[in-house]
Amino acid sequence: MGEFQKLAKLSDLQEGKVFVAETRYHKVGLTKLGDEICAFADVCTHDGEEITEGDLEGDVIVCPRHSAKFNIRTGKVLCMPAVEDLPVYKTRIVGDDVEVELED
């Protein structure tokens, strides 16, 4: 189990846009989907590319290099060439802060 870390303010997040937060060990993509905040690793599991550079289509992010697709709610890989799911993280709102549970 990890610890929750403050990575953004609610006002930093917009529907349909990805906000990238950097921690000491991780880059995390964050976005707002309705009332839900999604957080996911900023790395394509196929080749290590920064996935947040790709297009966000609803709850699916598309890798900019080889078009692998992932569901950002569940992390499930949706098409080749990726075969490994995208790491996703639990989020919570504390006041106006968006906190994400990360392993160190």
Side-chain angles (χ1 to χ4, degrees):
M1 216 169 152
E3 290 185 20
F4 279 93
Q5 299 178 33
K6 175 186 160 190
L7 295 188
K9 294 276 191 193
L10 269 176
S11 58
D12 294 329
L13 306 183
Q14 298 176 33
E15 188 85 25
K17 304 239 186 225
V18 178
F19 176 86
V20 179
E22 291 191 46
T23 71
R24 187 173 178 183
Y25 301 109
H26 307 275
K27 275 189 170 181
V28 177
L30 295 146
T31 193
K32 195 173 180 183
L33 294 176
D35 292 336
E36 183 180 3
I37 303 297
C38 295
F40 52 93
D42 186 12
V43 61
C44 178
T45 61
H46 167 246
D47 70 357
E49 177 74 17
E50 291 180 344
I51 196 85
T52 57
E53 295 294 319
D55 292 329
L56 183 61
E57 302 168 352
D59 63 357
V60 174
I61 194 149
V62 182
C63 181
R65 288 199 53 202
H66 300 113
S67 300
K69 294 181 180 182
F70 303 88
N71 182 300
I72 61 170
R73 283 187 165 111
T74 64
K76 292 289 181 197
V77 63
L78 302 174
C79 76
M80 301 282 282
V83 294
E84 187 179 327
D85 292 342
L86 182 69
V88 295
Y89 308 109
K90 290 181 184 177
T91 63
R92 70 183 183 191
I93 308 300
V94 178
D96 187 42
D97 296 333
V98 177
E99 296 184 348
V100 178
E101 185 179 35
L102 297 172
E103 302 277 333
D104 277 340

